[in-house]
Amino acid sequence: MKKWEKNVRKVEPYVPGEQPKEQGIIKLNTNENPYPPSKKVQKALEETDVEKFRLYPDPAIESLVCAIAEYYGVEKENVFVGVGSDDVIAMSFMTFFNSDKPILFPDITYSFYDVWADMLKIPYETQALDENFHIIKEDYIKENGGIIFPNPNAPTGVFEDLSVLEEIISQNSGSVVMVDEAYVDFGGKSAVSLLEKYDNLLVIQTFSKSRSMAGMRIGFAIGSKELIKYLNDVKYSFNSYTMNETAIRFGVAAIEDKAYFEETVKKIIDTREWTKRELTRLGFTFPDSQANFIFATHESIPAEELQQALRKEKIVVRYFKKPRIDNYLRITVGTQKEMETLIQTLENYLKTKK
């Protein structure tokens, strides 16, 4: 080890899903929306004046903050915007998780949480999901330095009823509870409805999934004015210009097209339910996903074998070689045509195993 290396912050990094470069791939591994963004985004692109790129963007991101606030029926002081929900969550970790007590999150969850905790030297404890991949709420009603969990969960797709969330939030008034709602638009009910009752609740969402904007990196948090002020204080101490001008403009255009958003989400939900029925027919089981993916295991063929077989046919799905979930595939819901190809490919492969 070189002398200077002793002062390097060493972490086990998050491993993002594969982004294949080859042509003809059916990409069902990173939960992207298979449909393009709203045409209003295209129009905003065409109307963008590149002359303005010589100027710094609005550090308060007011146009996008106001558009989000209007959509969710809150005040602009209740909204924080960042570069994707990953940026928002990381900023929230830095802002709110500063106790010497451990933060709590599920043992099967978004695998960035422990990375941020390790990087920021935040103590944490994982709480085991039950045999059906549900949160055991009693595990979160104890001394802690903060709580975070996705709802619906990733990678399982399981949605927890808001009554479960409310009991956890109400019993933890001394810490901030973050609910990561990256997938909530595909079947869940947002915890935003609880914000009037709890000033320790922070709800985090993204434009990456339901609004087809993963490439623009737009995320946001909604919470009490006090929480949002503290977040902005940290942001301005870290990087005043977290959002670029194009992302701000395109984000406003996307959230203003409610009709297209609802149409796209409905298509994904319809295709997801069709895919569930077909996977069941082929011998797969899975939790009842309320997200834009399905977390499936087969009755006789190992998940890793199926992943490799699909990859040979240019279909990419996500496999996690981790305890408790190493026999599951996380399958993003693509277009109806893509999912029909997936089902046919699986059916053909399963016939060769009989």
Side-chain angles (χ1 to χ4, degrees), residues 161-174:
D161 189 84
L162 290 190
S163 63
V164 175
L165 272 62
E166 183 163 14
E167 186 162 354
I168 293 172
I169 297 162
S170 66
Q171 295 293 321
N172 285 281
S173 60

Side-chain angles (χ1 to χ4, degrees), residues 5-17:
E5 285 187 275
K6 66 181 180 180
N7 296 317
V8 173
R9 187 183 295 272
K10 300 177 183 68
V11 294
E12 188 71 30
Y14 171 76
V15 179

